[in-house]
Amino acid sequence: MLEESRTNSIRNNTMVGAAAGTPGTLPTNWSSGFGNGISRQIVGTGTQNGISYIDVNYSGTATAATAAVIFFEAAGASGIAATSNQAWTESAYLAVVSGSLSGANSAWFGWYNYNGATYLGSQQTSNVYSSLNETLTRYATTALPNNTSTTNVEPYLFLSIPNGNTINVTIRIGMPQLEQGWFATSPMQHPAALSHAQRKASQGSHAQAAAPLHISTLLAHFRSPMPTRRARITIRQPMSPKDCWSKKAAPTVLPTVRQYEQHLIAVTRSVR
């Protein structure tokens, strides 16, 4: 897989510091909000298909309209530095492992916007309520902070529970990620020191031995958050780096997926 350089601004996505109990202990740098008849239990942590996860149970009957919120980072000026002209993508693996979400009426990705220590408001970016099920699935949403005074964001997962509703649900949360960009890249696991996980941009190449006269077709499938009219493919002979061939071509635009264009490009070349 070829990907651009990205940073996961959530410092702890492998559940370091979590402990089972009622209410239990959330991973380091995480926090939560709940109440009005709703209690929280940390059921445990583990790994599924290589994804580090935590299981969190919410139960009780709401005595007032309330929210059960898990924050993946610190609040205020200690939160993730962000501005309103930046696109941010939040993602996490989620599953309902026991009980039901029927007592809630929404399950939102989003974040709190801050200007330093000043709270500016909650920004709900994507409601995943209707699609959450027992299969551990990665969900992602992209948005720009909606307050021009934003300097920091605090990403969350937010369950809304109406007054009088009863809930008992255990949600599995795996490897949450917040990265600057228009789409989610593959999960980045934080280092042991709980600092931001970074991935350098990757480059693609394909080496193939050529016969005295070899007809080669190179096919590339890539995606871009911006319309792409032209792309360039280069073929270089390794024994003679200066002897290379490059061609621009108009890629075929495939259906747009989550705010980015997909493209397919192919060129054919005789290589001696």
Side-chain angles (χ1 to χ4, degrees):
M1 180 182 293
L2 305 180
E3 296 185 291
E4 64 193 62
S5 176
R6 289 290 182 91
T7 297
N8 182 6
S9 293
I10 295 173
R11 292 170 292 172
N12 183 3
N13 67 351
T14 55
M15 317 311 157
V16 172
T22 305
T25 303
L26 286 167
T28 303
N29 302 323
W30 293 29
S31 62
S32 71
F34 59 95
N36 294 325
I38 305 300
S39 63
R40 188 200 77 199
Q41 177 188 6
I42 302 301
V43 179
T45 60
T47 303
Q48 179 181 348
N49 299 328
I51 303 300
S52 299
Y53 68 79
I54 185 169
D55 287 343
V56 183
N57 174 268
Y58 289 104
S59 62
T61 300
T63 58
T66 191
V69 191
I70 290 185
F71 300 97
F72 302 125
E73 258 299 339
S78 299
I80 297 167
T83 62
S84 61
N85 63 352
Q86 295 173 338
W88 289 86
T89 296
E90 181 181 6
S91 61
Y93 288 88
L94 302 173
V96 175
V97 293
S98 70
S100 168
L101 277 171
S102 60
N105 62 7
S106 61
W108 289 92
F109 271 139
W111 50 70
Y112 281 179
N113 289 300
Y114 290 90
N115 180 280
T118 302
Y119 172 71
L120 300 176
S122 176
Q123 181 176 346
Q124 298 172 342
T125 58
S126 179
N127 187 356
V128 298
Y129 177 85
S130 61
S131 56
L132 275 178
N133 55 42
E134 69 278 3
T135 301
L136 189 64
T137 303
R138 195 181 190 204
Y139 297 84
T141 179
T142 302
L144 283 71
N146 62 7
N147 192 305
T148 57
S149 298
T150 297
T151 60
N152 301 86
V153 296
E154 182 185 19
Y156 61 60
L157 178 65
F158 178 111
L159 295 183
S160 179
I161 306 169
N163 181 28
N165 278 21
T166 297
I167 193 169
N168 187 348
V169 63
T170 300
I171 298 178
R172 179 161 294 175
I173 304 171
M175 294 188 73
Q177 188 157 296
L178 185 70
E179 56 192 302
Q180 189 177 339
W182 282 102
F183 53 86
T185 60
S186 59
M188 290 172 274
Q189 180 174 309
H190 75 79
L194 297 185
S195 59
H196 300 151
Q198 294 182 320
R199 180 181 49 242
K200 294 182 178 180
S202 51
Q203 295 181 343
S205 63
H206 174 70
Q208 178 174 326
L213 180 60
H214 187 80
I215 308 299
S216 294
T217 298
L218 185 60
L219 181 70
H221 179 200
F222 64 96
R223 59 192 184 183
S224 169
M226 302 295 290
T228 301
R229 295 185 177 89
R230 307 290 287 179
R232 180 182 294 274
I233 286 183
T234 300
I235 298 175
R236 175 173 284 109
Q237 297 189 50
M239 299 304 294
S240 180
K242 292 184 179 180
D243 187 5
C244 65
W245 173 85
S246 182
K247 180 181 180 180
K248 287 184 179 180
T252 300
V253 180
L254 303 178
T256 298
V257 177
R258 285 201 178 102
Q259 299 156 323
Y260 61 80
E261 284 188 352
Q262 294 195 101
H263 306 275
L264 194 65
I265 183 172
V267 295
T268 301
R269 172 67 173 173
S270 299
V271 181
R272 291 187 179 277

